[in-house]
Amino acid sequence: MKECYSRRDFIRTVGLGTLGFGFGVSIFDSLYQYAEAEDNQDKHTLLMKGTVNFKGFMAKEITPNDEFYLTTYSEKVPDINYSNFRLRVEGQVKKPLIFTMKDLENRMDKTEFVTLQCIGNPIGGDSIGNALWDGVTLRKVLDETLPKGGIVKAAFYAEDGYSDSIPYALARSEDVLLAFRMNGEPLPRQHGYPLRAIVPGIYGMKHVKWLSKIELVNYDFKGYWEKRGWSDEAVMPIRSQILMPMEGKTIAAGNYVIGGIAYAGRYGISRVQVSLDDKKTWHEAEIKKPLSRWSWSLWRYDWKPLKEGDYTITVRGIDRSGKAQESPSIFAKILGTFPDGAKGLHSVKVKVTKKG
């Protein structure tokens, strides 16, 4: 499929205290701020907090808009006029409707942190991000059209010619929304202005950008990528990742905080484990409460390497159903991310040296 682009493609160097990744890891000496969001106002206030310090692990828990990864279907970024925009909702409905952006904004009922990830993101890749989305629940819009019986899917059509779909039962959940704001601002053009779908727990190809039509259909609609063999369910599996340290880093013997992100879709992360001996033994990491049920979790582990040498650090997540992150099969290794996303555990190799 088309490339998943993130800031790593443009920023390959480490600046003074900042690592230029799509997931926005930044390391500073004196930022000690993190918070738990209790309501929508608190969520928006969090956007001003910047980097959080989870007991020595510094990271941008919210990915800034200009650092959020991009997935391209074509080279076209539609130039849509706000005043002229219309969303058509039709198909197996008794009352087809057309909505303006004002109509949709007046119906706003959802503000949620949701982690998105490209299905082409490899293990350890940075085509993943976490943002705050404002919009209206899809179910609320659909209900106004008086849907008929026998509906199988909700098909999404974009202004750039792209299409995809989700099961009708999922479309009627309280979690799927039509978003028009991202991190407190109108959607950036490249992220779907003025309207896109947000489908928590599902890979990004289902989060159709520049959304202009929704059609309720009584058959198994296949979108652009599904017709080419990619997963139609597109459910994100358990994924955990080491952000600190980076591959190849030299660490002084003593105290070091290992940290990263973990995500488990509809089940949520319950545990994160770290191995320091290439998966021979595992140690429990500490997890920060996520910003929402659909947001990634930050995790950290206090490491006290006393012996010099080469180490392989590996992380794995365990969801609330008790399922552990899986290692790849031989076929998964061959196929990579095709057809339903990458499988496997993230590892980094580092070297420990004497202090000083």
Side-chain angles (χ1 to χ4, degrees), residues 71-256:
T71 300
T72 62
Y73 148 74
S74 69
E75 303 303 321
K76 180 182 178 182
V77 176
D79 186 11
I80 301 173
N81 180 278
Y82 175 92
S83 298
N84 295 336
F85 171 83
R86 298 293 184 271
L87 172 68
R88 294 156 48 205
V89 184
E90 55 191 50
Q92 298 296 305
V93 300
K94 298 176 183 177
K95 185 182 176 183
L97 292 174
I98 297 176
F99 297 88
T100 66
M101 280 307 302
K102 283 290 186 184
D103 293 333
L104 296 170
E105 289 169 350
N106 288 338
R107 289 165 171 78
M108 175 179 162
D109 63 351
K110 195 74 171 178
T111 297
E112 191 72 277
F113 286 104
V114 179
T115 295
L116 272 61
Q117 181 179 198
C118 177
I119 197 170
N121 192 32
I123 297 299
D126 59 0
S127 292
I128 185 171
N130 189 52
L132 181 67
W133 308 92
D134 293 328
V136 54
T137 50
L138 176 57
R139 180 176 64 184
K140 184 173 185 177
V141 172
L142 296 181
D143 281 348
E144 294 188 40
T145 68
L146 306 179
K148 298 178 181 178
I151 299 171
V152 176
K153 283 188 170 181
F156 300 141
Y157 296 85
E159 279 293 296
D160 67 344
Y162 182 71
S163 65
D164 214 317
S165 67
I166 60 174
Y168 183 57
L170 178 58
R172 295 205 55 80
S173 77
E174 63 180 14
D175 303 305
V176 179
L177 68 148
L178 306 180
F180 38 75
R181 293 177 68 82
M182 178 182 183
N183 285 335
E185 301 175 354
L187 281 175
R189 279 190 64 209
Q190 66 270 32
H191 287 292
Y193 179 86
L195 190 70
R196 71 174 296 167
I198 295 294
V199 190
I202 305 298
Y203 276 118
M205 62 190 187
K206 298 288 185 178
H207 303 238
V208 175
K209 298 182 286 188
W210 309 296
L211 187 61
S212 60
K213 184 177 83 169
I214 300 172
E215 183 182 15
L216 301 185
V217 299
N218 58 6
Y219 60 92
D220 187 14
F221 180 98
K222 298 295 185 183
Y224 179 85
W225 291 117
E226 290 75 36
K227 290 178 180 178
R228 287 154 178 80
W230 290 84
S231 171
D232 192 19
E233 292 77 19
V235 175
M236 283 194 279
I238 305 168
R239 182 69 67 90
S240 59
Q241 190 166 334
I242 301 165
L243 305 187
M244 192 171 81
M246 295 179 65
E247 174 74 23
K249 183 177 177 62
T250 298
I251 299 169
N255 297 322
Y256 187 86

Side-chain angles (χ1 to χ4, degrees), residues 4 7 19 61-62 67 133 223 230 241 253 314 320:
C4 305
R7 226 179 152 205
L19 308 183
E61 197 166 15
I62 304 163
E67 296 180 20
W133 308 92
W230 290 84
Q241 190 166 334
T314 306
R320 292 193 180 121

